[in-house]
Amino acid sequence: MPDRPTSEDFRNAQTLSYPAKQSEMDIQPQTDLKEYKAAGKLKGKIALITGADSGIGRAVALAFTLEGALVAIVYNENDGDAQTTKQMVEERGGQCLVIKADVRDKAACLDAVKQTVARYGGLNVLVNNAAYQAAQDSILDISEEQLRRTLETNLFGYVFMIQAALPHLKKGDAIVNSGSIVGETGNPILVDYTASKGGIHALTKSLALQFGKMDNGVRINAVLPGPVWTPNIPGTMPLEEVQKFGHEVALGRPGQPEELAPAYVYLACQDSSFTTGSLLHVTGGKLSS
């Protein structure tokens, strides 16, 4: 079993300017899935994953590849990290379509789906994972610009991608959203972010009810990570939080992106054929704030 950094290992970690690059992090997130045991669960499937240049999205792209899927990744800013994800997918025998797009733009979401379908001939799995957060001590410090960017990335972008993807999905296909445990517990310095994640949870449940009555029977679920070591952490959180990251969970450490990826595989494949509207917690035992 791989060694996982504990919260004590982060005591000298440093913050990075936003948007943080995974390639520049002093403690590298574990995203390569060296110990992952694939079983062909997504063989022949086509998946589109947003926010997949690094972190959880990268790990999901690699897990899907190992399970036999063709993947397209959407990212917004870090070209180098996105190309690294592509290279890692190809090293594992897969194909990776790289699409630079801002999910806040509905037309860009439609185009990302169009490119994926044109390249691979269809679409079976959508993973909504793109996210934005910025820490503020007081709600009075949240600017209109920040509020709009957070909600438009984390909530509007999910709706736009679902609207773009749904006409191409059929019975047995799946949508997996990235929620967060803080969408249930709250977080005093991430007020707008936690609100957006709570919205994702409600969106997931509402669409499960809607899709369940439709002929295509598309399933929609969400993974709720606890604290996970990704570029968003040193890129957006205060230094004192970075240097004790993951201290509050039962396992005494943050999660690594590759530990989240199997949950996305489960919700994307037919093993979860009777699972829809579910909020799957992968938190290391973070049960409350």
Side-chain angles (χ1 to χ4, degrees):
M1 182 176 178
D3 289 332
R4 308 290 190 192
T6 69
S7 59
E8 284 294 311
D9 295 318
F10 291 87
R11 61 186 177 275
N12 295 317
Q14 297 299 308
T15 58
L16 296 171
S17 59
Y18 185 88
K21 298 178 176 64
Q22 182 162 325
S23 58
E24 296 179 356
M25 294 172 69
D26 50 1
I27 300 175
Q28 280 291 300
Q30 296 171 346
T31 56
D32 57 16
L33 286 92
K34 286 182 179 178
E35 304 296 322
Y36 186 79
K37 306 300 182 185
K41 293 180 181 294
L42 295 172
K43 186 175 182 180
K45 301 296 185 180
I46 299 159
L48 175 59
I49 307 159
T50 70
D53 55 319
S54 61
I56 293 172
R58 174 185 288 180
V60 171
L62 296 182
F64 281 17
T65 295
L66 292 170
E67 293 290 356
L70 301 174
V71 302
I73 64 168
V74 174
Y75 76 104
N76 188 23
E77 299 187 78
N78 285 329
D79 301 326
D81 278 357
Q83 288 303 315
T84 297
T85 299
K86 181 177 188 293
Q87 179 181 345
M88 294 175 77
V89 166
E90 292 173 346
E91 287 172 349
R92 287 154 179 78
Q95 296 184 45
C96 183
L97 173 63
V98 178
I99 303 169
K100 188 172 186 176
D102 188 337
V103 297
R104 293 176 292 175
D105 181 347
K106 183 174 183 177
C109 295
L110 288 165
D111 183 66
V113 171
K114 182 179 179 180
Q115 286 189 55
T116 302
V117 171
R119 170 73 173 269
Y120 294 134
L123 181 65
N124 305 109
V125 181
L126 169 66
V127 175
N128 275 317
N129 178 66
Y132 177 78
Q133 69 177 32
Q136 302 290 354
D137 288 330
S138 170
I139 192 171
L140 300 177
D141 297 325
I142 299 174
S143 66
E144 181 178 347
E145 179 184 8
Q146 176 183 320
L147 181 62
R148 290 187 181 279
R149 182 169 186 177
T150 302
L151 294 179
E152 289 176 7
T153 302
N154 302 357
L155 199 51
F156 286 34
Y158 282 39
V159 172
F160 293 156
M161 287 300 307
I162 291 168
Q163 289 175 330
L166 190 60
H168 301 278
L169 301 176
K170 57 187 181 300
K171 192 173 183 65
D173 291 342
I175 298 169
V176 186
N177 294 326
S178 289
S180 173
I181 189 61
V182 299
E184 295 188 349
T185 65
N187 184 303
I189 65 171
L190 295 172
V191 171
D192 50 338
Y193 177 79
T194 62
S196 72
K197 290 299 182 175
I200 291 166
H201 303 168
L203 174 71
T204 301
K205 288 179 174 289
S206 295
L207 288 181
L209 294 171
Q210 185 181 113
F211 294 169
K213 302 180 188 306
M214 295 169 61
D215 291 338
N216 63 10
V218 171
R219 295 177 299 104
I220 181 167
N221 296 284
V223 177
L224 275 56
V228 179
W229 186 239
T230 73
N232 250 355
I233 304 308
T236 65
M237 296 295 281
L239 181 61
E240 61 269 22
E241 294 294 329
V242 174
Q243 293 185 337
K244 61 178 183 179
F245 192 60
H247 71 97
E248 75 275 32
V249 308
L251 295 182
R253 64 173 178 85
Q256 295 294 329
E258 65 185 14
E259 296 181 282
L260 274 292
Y264 289 81
V265 171
Y266 167 69
L267 293 176
C269 77
Q270 284 304 298
D271 287 355
S272 60
S273 59
F274 195 58
T275 304
T276 194
S278 174
L279 307 180
L280 178 55
H281 295 64
V282 188
T283 69
K286 180 177 172 57
L287 305 178
S288 62
S289 59

